[in-house]
Amino acid sequence: MTDEIHTDEPPDSRRKEKHPGTRTIGPVPNLEEHVKSDWWRGIFNSLYLKTDGDVVDDQQITRNEIDRITEVLHLEPDEKILDLCCGQGRHTLELVRRGYSVEGLDQSHYLIQRARSTAKKEGLPVRFREGDARRLPYRTDTHDVVLVLGNSFGYFDSVEEDLRILTELRRILKPRGRVLLDVADGEYLKEHFQARSWEWIDRTMFVCRERSLSLDARRLISREVITDVNKGVVADQFYAERLYTPEALRRLLEQAGFSSVTFHEIATESQRNQDLGMMERRHIVTAVVKKEWSTTKARGQGRAKHVAVMLGDPARPDALKPSCTFDDDDFYTIDQMKAALRELAGYRFTFFSRHETMIQDLAKLRGKVDYVFNLCDEGFNNDPRKELHVPALLEMLDIPYTGSGPQSLAFCYDKSLVRGVAKEMKIPVPDACFITPGDLTYDIGMKLPVIVKPNSGDSSYGITQKSIAYTIEELSDVINTLRTTLGYDRSLLVEEFLTGKDISVGIIGNPPGYCTVLPIIEEDYSALPPDLPRICGYEAKWLPDSPYWKIVSRPADLPEETEKAIVRCCLALFERLECRDYCRFDWRLDEHGNPKLLEVNPNPGWCWDGHLAKMAKYAGISYPEMLGRILKAAEERFGLEQERGGREAGKEPLPFDRTRQTA
């Protein structure tokens, strides 16, 4: 990740915050003053696996811990287990190796990717998800056991936030479900923590640590200065963890609705056997939730949400398609989507695709459906310039709908406008020249080669292998050809042609609230003949007989810092351009590996074999679940908008958990 570039992120992994702006700040009199409330944001990376590797990266220690956990919980193979704050998945993977049904969830994109990579190498059937511990993506009463291991509890500034996590665990657990927390012995550490220490963590790196109690003596404040003998100081990190006494933890669990709270011993092992910090002495705590099945479970399925699905009109021409009409592939895609939606429990779908009566049909829907699933990316009457007309009509009829609104669609349909917004936000874009319909002469002001594309539009219409110009003469020919094809009333964009990795980023959710950044993918052009330009244009998406049809999308291999920067920019653009529920961002690296934004695609292609579905698949998310997540993202947004509306009208808002953030 993802990586996680969020606000109010959850502490779903381990510990540490890198001090910004400098490698070290030297001596400090008060450690607590340097700890940020979100110190755990985006810092669980390769350094974490080095500083804590003596415990968290030792397979024998993991096996011993799982032996103890299975003994304490009396786990059964058919029980559904969640390993929350799973990190790189060491406990999840070991449980799966032993035949248990486990899923891992963590907020750290880096660690989740490590977990997925290990599972893939070993061929293990396990799912890892990125998410927020305070807003879990699971239904009520679905899990038998939740594990919170590796001292991953107690990172927030307030006890109330920890309580919120426990309350969420109670919700997803079945009646008589069990929770197990692996936590530091706060009572012991308060009296015995090491104020200063240092140790080698490999042959060239060592870490120096400072510790002190917080002003209220309820948290242990730590600092780590990590030094490479060749590079010098590589990180200066401050973090804080709450020191729970057994009695305080018991009260918190009981307040969250748990009972039968029991403490068990567990040994901390380490090959280095040096400074173990918060892991020096721990205990595992188990508790049981005694509750009734939720109303929905008790009554069966409950009332299904009625969702109207808006589609393009197969009876009308579609200029973007090769045959200018819906073909067998289009109908197959629609059938795949309908089959996927049928797998989603709790919904009833009605499909609308006749645009001749769309206005009347939508007017009749008002008050009869919960909302509209807007999949009409063809636009009203299959006119892509009228894609925004469908949500505009829904706005006028006051019918809730999924996806971005008309303003966002208008923004992003104009590539030059998006470039301007990105540049204002200091987000890198390729050099470019905007050509208006009346321009007969132009000074592009950039080096060749360049790519010429329509300034407005989607589906890569007008972008082919012939869009690349290597000389001024070729550029003139490309512009004239495009004007002949598209019409002389269309503006064009001439961009520097980037030759690095061609990548896409998918987001489902609504930043800065809860959302999922899907694994970044890159286009693999290795099957293309060497004389063809490396682009994923119209041929790759619409022409099966083209060599470009052989292009495949694979998980992107990017430097960690590059990936973080790209995701940070995508999340910022998502908000700035008012995207909603789901979006795709296209980037390309230059010859030096520097990423530059190409396009922003709100309401991106939803088809079963599209880029968004490919990214979801690499995240372990099936096509039906991907569609379900888009629906859930919209439903959460509806709830927040309703709450805000209630406040503005002076009414009591509907119950809604506002502690949501990027996952």
Side-chain angles (χ1 to χ4, degrees):
M1 32 196 282
T2 95
D3 221 51
E4 279 64 43
I5 314 297
H6 329 168
T7 62
D8 301 325
E9 284 185 333
D12 292 353
S13 270
R14 303 295 179 270
R15 37 175 203 167
K16 312 183 186 80
E17 207 277 323
K18 187 173 181 179
H19 201 281
T22 180
R23 287 189 171 182
T24 181
I25 58 173
V28 297
N30 187 339
L31 298 181
E32 190 171 10
E33 289 181 353
H34 295 271
V35 178
K36 292 187 175 181
S37 60
D38 58 350
W39 55 262
W40 27 260
R41 175 184 299 185
I43 42 68
F44 298 110
N45 50 28
S46 56
L47 282 180
Y48 157 70
L49 293 179
K50 283 182 175 291
T51 58
D52 293 35
D54 56 323
V55 175
V56 305
D57 214 21
D58 187 310
Q59 290 192 0
Q60 186 56 51
I61 290 175
T62 300
R63 285 191 284 267
N64 294 343
E65 290 176 344
I66 292 300
D67 286 343
R68 180 65 173 139
I69 289 164
T70 54
E71 175 190 14
V72 167
L73 288 174
H74 306 291
L75 292 180
E76 298 293 337
D78 60 345
E79 290 187 307
K80 188 173 183 180
I81 305 168
L82 171 64
D83 183 8
L84 184 61
C85 312
C86 67
Q88 76 273 31
R90 63 187 184 105
H91 295 108
T92 313
L93 294 165
E94 181 60 27
L95 284 165
V96 172
R97 294 183 192 109
R98 300 186 186 196
Y100 292 102
S101 175
V102 197
E103 179 171 316
L105 184 142
D106 199 286
Q107 67 86 25
S108 170
H109 175 71
Y110 175 83
L111 294 179
I112 286 294
Q113 291 296 79
R114 283 286 299 261
R116 289 171 178 159
S117 176
T118 304
K120 185 176 181 180
K121 287 177 183 176
E122 296 188 28
L124 296 174
V126 58
R127 182 182 187 190
F128 289 101
R129 300 173 72 164
E130 296 171 30
D132 175 354
R134 298 171 296 178
R135 186 77 176 171
L136 295 173
Y138 305 109
R139 294 180 179 176
T140 301
D141 303 344
T142 51
H143 288 74
D144 297 286
V145 176
V146 177
L147 309 174
V148 186
L149 305 174
N151 193 37
S152 302
F153 187 77
Y155 293 170
F156 282 116
D157 285 347
S158 69
V159 176
E160 287 74 20
E161 292 294 272
D162 290 340
L163 177 62
R164 196 183 299 273
I165 293 176
L166 295 178
T167 303
E168 185 71 341
L169 300 189
R170 184 185 187 279
R171 178 186 68 79
I172 70 167
L173 281 168
K174 299 175 182 177
R176 305 295 303 178
R178 295 103 75 205
V179 64
L180 182 146
L181 305 179
D182 173 5
V183 294
D185 185 339
E187 204 165 48
Y188 171 86
L189 288 172
K190 187 174 180 179
E191 302 296 332
H192 297 90
F193 70 87
Q194 294 186 53
R196 286 181 174 83
S197 71
W198 78 277
E199 63 176 315
W200 288 97
I201 55 178
D202 63 19
R203 291 182 177 273
T204 62
M205 296 181 73
F206 61 90
V207 56
C208 300
R209 297 186 175 97
E210 293 182 81
R211 297 189 182 91
S212 66
L213 292 176
S214 61
L215 184 61
D216 63 4
R218 295 180 180 178
R219 295 195 300 166
L220 184 61
I221 312 299
S222 302
R223 178 188 189 184
E224 291 183 345
V225 180
I226 305 169
T227 304
D228 186 296
V229 295
N230 298 312
K231 302 176 184 177
V233 174
V234 295
D236 191 353
Q237 307 176 150
F238 294 80
Y239 53 95
E241 298 173 83
R242 190 162 298 280
L243 298 173
Y244 278 109
T245 65
E247 185 55 35
L249 199 53
R250 181 189 303 277
R251 286 198 305 267
L252 194 67
L253 282 160
E254 290 175 348
Q255 188 178 350
F258 289 91
S259 58
S260 303
V261 179
T262 308
F263 288 79
H264 313 263
E265 296 299 321
I266 186 169
T268 297
E269 304 173 74
S270 167
Q271 293 297 319
R272 292 204 298 253
N273 198 30
Q274 298 187 53
D275 183 2
L276 293 171
M278 295 289 288
M279 301 288 280
E280 182 176 346
R281 182 174 295 186
R282 311 132 60 198
H283 36 228
I284 51 179
V285 189
T286 57
V288 178
V289 56
K290 296 178 181 178
K291 64 175 186 179
E292 299 296 327
W293 289 99
S294 69
T295 303
T296 301
K297 287 283 185 181
R299 295 178 182 175
Q301 196 62 41
R303 187 188 79 84
K305 294 184 179 73
H306 186 189
V307 178
V309 183
M310 292 302 308
L311 299 165
D313 189 342
R316 287 180 171 270
D318 187 335
L320 293 188
K321 301 184 187 301
S323 60
C324 294
T325 185
F326 279 62
D327 59 18
D328 289 342
D329 285 340
D330 295 308
F331 289 113
Y332 180 77
T333 295
I334 294 171
D335 287 342
Q336 289 290 98
M337 176 269 296
K338 290 181 176 180
L341 292 180
R342 281 196 295 270
E343 293 187 28
L344 301 180
Y347 291 95
R348 178 166 64 93
F349 295 99
T350 304
F351 299 89
F352 293 86
S353 61
R354 191 180 179 198
H355 289 198
E356 183 180 358
T357 60
M358 177 186 285
I359 297 175
Q360 300 93 315
D361 291 340
L362 288 177
K364 294 175 184 177
L365 289 179
R366 186 175 179 182
K368 297 180 180 179
V369 296
D370 289 277
Y371 59 91
V372 167
F373 191 8
N374 180 21
L375 298 182
C376 187
D377 49 4
E378 288 87 354
F380 182 61
N381 285 339
N382 296 348
D383 183 346
R385 292 171 296 181
K386 296 180 180 178
E387 183 180 356
L388 62 85
H389 289 47
V390 178
L393 179 58
L394 292 167
E395 295 272 1
M396 290 188 289
L397 293 171
D398 197 26
I399 300 175
Y401 59 93
T402 65
S404 296
Q407 184 66 72
S408 177
L409 295 176
F411 282 152
C412 298
Y413 198 71
D414 187 324
K415 296 181 177 68
S416 182
L417 190 152
V418 170
R419 285 174 47 83
V421 171
K423 290 175 73 174
E424 174 193 300
M425 299 172 67
K426 310 301 183 187
I427 293 173
V429 294
D431 291 338
C433 172
F434 180 75
I435 300 179
T436 67
D439 286 341
L440 299 178
T441 60
Y442 27 81
D443 179 11
I444 61 171
M446 73 191 82
K447 65 179 182 179
L448 297 168
V450 295
I451 181 170
V452 186
K453 58 180 74 171
N455 181 60
S456 58
D458 54 14
S459 299
S460 298
Y461 188 62
I463 302 175
T464 70
Q465 58 178 299
K466 297 179 180 179
S467 298
I468 314 300
Y470 296 89
T471 66
I472 293 296
E473 292 75 19
E474 288 181 355
L475 175 59
S476 180
D477 290 342
V478 173
I479 291 173
N480 289 332
T481 300
L482 264 181
R483 283 176 166 170
T484 302
T485 304
L486 304 177
Y488 285 82
D489 60 336
R490 301 288 294 276
S491 299
L492 303 176
L493 194 64
V494 180
E495 280 186 344
E496 65 171 316
F497 180 53
L498 304 175
T499 56
K501 291 179 183 293
D502 196 346
I503 61 179
S504 292
V505 181
I507 296 175
I508 299 177
N510 287 290
Y514 176 84
C515 71
T516 299
V517 179
L518 298 171
I520 300 176
I521 58 173
E522 64 176 278
E523 303 306 321
D524 182 352
Y525 293 116
S526 59
L528 276 184
D531 58 322
L532 291 181
R534 270 49 183 161
I535 60 170
C536 186
Y538 189 81
E539 298 106 325
K541 299 176 182 179
W542 297 100
L543 304 180
D545 295 331
S546 167
Y548 284 94
W549 195 259
K550 299 177 182 178
I551 296 173
V552 295
S553 301
R554 305 192 186 282
D557 182 15
L558 297 172
E560 182 183 344
E561 291 306 314
T562 301
E563 184 172 335
K564 284 183 178 181
I566 289 171
V567 173
R568 181 186 300 114
C569 292
C570 291
L571 290 166
L573 282 164
F574 194 109
E575 291 186 72
R576 176 65 179 83
L577 294 171
E578 301 178 14
C579 304
R580 298 193 311 211
D581 303 336
Y582 64 124
C583 189
R584 195 188 77 241
F585 301 81
D586 296 334
W587 294 71
R588 190 141 193 183
L589 275 55
D590 65 15
E591 58 187 343
H592 304 296
N594 301 311
K596 298 186 179 183
L597 176 74
L598 300 181
E599 294 185 26
V600 178
N601 298 278
N603 296 10
W606 46 264
C607 55
W608 66 276
D609 59 349
H611 278 76
L612 198 70
K614 291 175 183 176
M615 287 183 261
K617 184 178 180 181
Y618 285 123
I621 299 170
S622 67
Y623 181 51
E625 187 179 356
M626 183 194 83
L627 297 178
R629 287 195 178 202
I630 295 171
L631 297 177
K632 291 297 184 185
E635 290 166 10
E636 289 190 2
R637 175 171 56 81
F638 300 154
L640 183 56
E641 290 170 353
Q642 190 172 20
E643 178 190 1
R644 287 170 178 161
R647 280 202 306 269
E648 291 169 3
K651 300 174 182 177
E652 184 69 22
L654 293 175
F656 189 80
D657 186 353
R658 298 190 66 235
T659 55
R660 302 157 43 226
Q661 65 275 329
T662 306

